[in-house]
Amino acid sequence: MSFLRSPVTIFGALNLSAIAGSTYYLRSHLVYNLEESEARSDEIEGTLRGHIGLIEESLDRLEGKATEADRGKKMNEYYGKRGRDEKKS
C-alpha cells in the first residue's frame, strides 16, 4: 500500500477529481443554458405567430374579406398553435 502514499498517485487522483468536477459543472451549466435558450425561442415563436396573425388579418381587411367578428381570430389561432407543430411520426 506504499503506492497510495506516492506523490504521483496523490496528484494523479487530485487531477482526475478536478477534471471530473469541472466536467460535471460545465455540463450542468450547458444544460441550464440550453433550457433557457429553448424557453426564449418558444416565447419568440409565439410572438412571431401572433404578429403573423395580425398581418394576415390586416391583409384580409384591406382586401375586404374580413368582418368585425373575425377581428383577433387569426392572431389567437396562430398564437394558440405555438409549440404544437411537432413532427408526427
Side-chain angles (χ1 to χ4, degrees), residues 63-84:
E63 292 174 347
K65 295 178 184 177
T67 63
E68 192 64 32
D70 294 336
R71 186 173 225 150
K73 187 176 181 182
K74 280 193 178 181
M75 182 195 67
N76 291 333
E77 176 186 327
Y78 281 124
Y79 189 76
K81 273 183 16 181
R82 75 177 192 172
R84 296 185 187 136

Side-chain angles (χ1 to χ4, degrees), residues 18-72:
I19 290 171
S22 62
T23 302
Y24 177 76
Y25 171 75
L26 289 174
R27 183 187 178 282
S28 64
H29 193 64
L30 179 66
V31 167
Y32 174 78
N33 284 340
L34 287 174
E35 289 173 355
E36 289 291 318
S37 176
E38 187 175 343
R40 269 188 239 111
S41 295
D42 287 345
E43 187 175 333
I44 290 171
E45 178 190 2
T47 302
L48 288 174
R49 285 180 181 272
H51 284 86
I52 289 170
L54 288 173
I55 291 168
E56 286 189 2
E57 285 177 1
S58 299
L59 183 62
D60 287 345
R61 276 187 277 140
L62 288 173
E63 292 174 347
K65 295 178 184 177
T67 63
E68 192 64 32
D70 294 336
R71 186 173 225 150

